Amino acid sequence: MQGSPPPPDKLVTLANWQEPPFNRWGFLHIRDLIPTAQISRGAGPVAELEHDPREIDAVAFRLRGRDWTVASMLDATYTDGLLVLHRGRIVDERYVDGMGPDTTHLLMSVSKSVTATVAGTFVDRGLLDPGAPVTEYVEELKGGAFEGCSVQLLLDMRAGTKFSEDYDDLQADVRVYEQVCGWRPRVDPDLPEDLYGYMAGLNENVRPHGGRFDYRSILTDVLGWVIERVGGASFASLCSSEVWSKLGAERDAEVTVDAHGCAMEDGGICTTLRDLARFGLMHLDEGLAPGGRVVSAAWVRGVTRSDPDLLAAFAAAPDGKDLPGGMYHNQWWVIDPDRGIHGGLGINGQQVLIHPPSRTVVAKFSTQPGPWDHALSEVQLRGSLAICDALERGDV
């Protein structure tokens, strides 16, 4: 239940909430650990989701010489919740260990896809030029690592900025800046007071801007700063007005903020499972939602449009071997450009998978023990694709 205390033998703190077994409670109770800003659902009616139950547990797939079912995949990947929408109807919805339809859960890097959608709304209106330099919108970044970097390179994770994303190294940039964001106890007194100062202080590049794909969460936070400057309001307010208030969401979302109110757009958004599925459904419907158009069909279609430059940039990166033939564009992982299959993915097993061929959305929350377990990530994605394939064939 949301707001419930952790078990007395599992005291959750700011220092351990991302580690097992504490993460299972922590991911559901972010506001009890870290300050958050409300992303309002607005005053519109809830878009009710009809049910069309299907039996998916026995859907089978084979991976690396082992036979799997959806049931065994869900058990192996530390599932907190799963919701499958097929043609806009719920065919499967389940929750584990205290989570329920009204419980918000941390999205981790699925937040990046939400953030990019907010950016897309401003691109549609001509207020944000993806080809323009980042420094045109945020003057504080002039002379630093983002000099000469376009907004599009942030969206595609192709900036040259030096930033280590090694989650297992507490001295890596991705862990150190969590002290600034309020995700971890502050032990380094020399760090900037807020995330704005941290971003402005980055002044090293490891390669020219526009090179190969290189996944770094800080690029999404810089994008969030650009969005705030374009929209003239906080990210939480803009995410509400541009996206969340139009989805017919059941609950407000929220995003973690630092001591000065700067949002952690790269991973700090929390939503219910149903509302994440509604976000995915909006993308499946090419930007249309019950409350009106969120983002243009051209923006949504552009996410998965095959691009030789993006394909080559992705293939040249270490991550390229995980999704052969895939690419990364506008803060989405494009799994199959030809079929338009793409997803928002986050560490510890967060996912919203968009599968246009079968008209399916698979939303999943998890608390996997490690941030990025290649084997678990692979089985989760393959199992989710197997669900979509079965629905496309009419086997379930």
Side-chain angles (χ1 to χ4, degrees), residues 133-157:
V134 172
T135 52
E136 182 176 309
Y137 299 101
V138 183
E139 291 188 357
E140 291 89 334
L141 297 174
K142 287 183 176 179
F146 296 98
E147 188 73 52
C149 178
S150 70
V151 174
Q152 189 63 60
L153 294 179
L154 298 179
L155 285 160
D156 295 341
M157 295 284 182

Side-chain angles (χ1 to χ4, degrees), residues 208-281:
H209 298 306
R212 69 166 174 83
F213 167 76
D214 191 359
Y215 188 88
R216 282 144 305 150
S217 292
I218 195 66
L219 303 187
T220 311
D221 296 309
V222 175
L223 177 66
W225 200 356
V226 170
I227 289 169
E228 290 184 329
R229 288 296 169 84
V230 171
S234 71
F235 174 78
S237 175
L238 296 170
C239 189
S240 169
S241 62
E242 300 298 322
V243 178
W244 218 251
S245 62
K246 300 177 182 179
L247 297 180
E250 293 183 28
R251 290 282 305 272
D252 294 336
E254 58 191 334
V255 61
T256 67
V257 294
D258 66 21
H260 290 179
C262 182
M264 192 179 185
E265 294 95 348
D266 75 81
I269 298 176
C270 306
T271 76
T272 67
L273 188 61
R274 288 180 181 173
D275 289 342
L276 177 61
R278 288 183 173 94
F279 171 75
L281 182 60

Side-chain angles (χ1 to χ4, degrees), residues 7 32 53 63 80 103 178 184 194 216 224 230 267 275 280 288 316 325 356:
D32 295 325
L63 178 62
D80 292 332
T103 313
E178 289 181 346
R184 196 174 294 277
D194 58 25
R216 282 144 305 150
V230 171
D275 289 342
L288 283 175

Side-chain angles (χ1 to χ4, degrees), residues 41 45-51 83-85 88 90 93 95 101-102 114 117 243-244 246-252 271-291 294 332 352-354 361-363:
R41 64 165 300 277
V46 172
E48 299 295 342
L49 297 170
E50 297 181 10
H51 287 74
L83 194 149
V84 181
L85 282 179
I90 298 174
E93 181 179 17
Y95 300 94
D102 295 329
V114 178
T117 304
V243 178
W244 218 251
K246 300 177 182 179
L247 297 180
E250 293 183 28
R251 290 282 305 272
D252 294 336
T271 76
T272 67
L273 188 61
R274 288 180 181 173
D275 289 342
L276 177 61
R278 288 183 173 94
F279 171 75
L281 182 60
M282 177 274 294
H283 224 258
L284 183 65
D285 288 339
E286 296 191 333
L288 283 175
V294 174
W332 290 88
V352 58
L353 177 66
I354 316 295
V361 174
V362 181

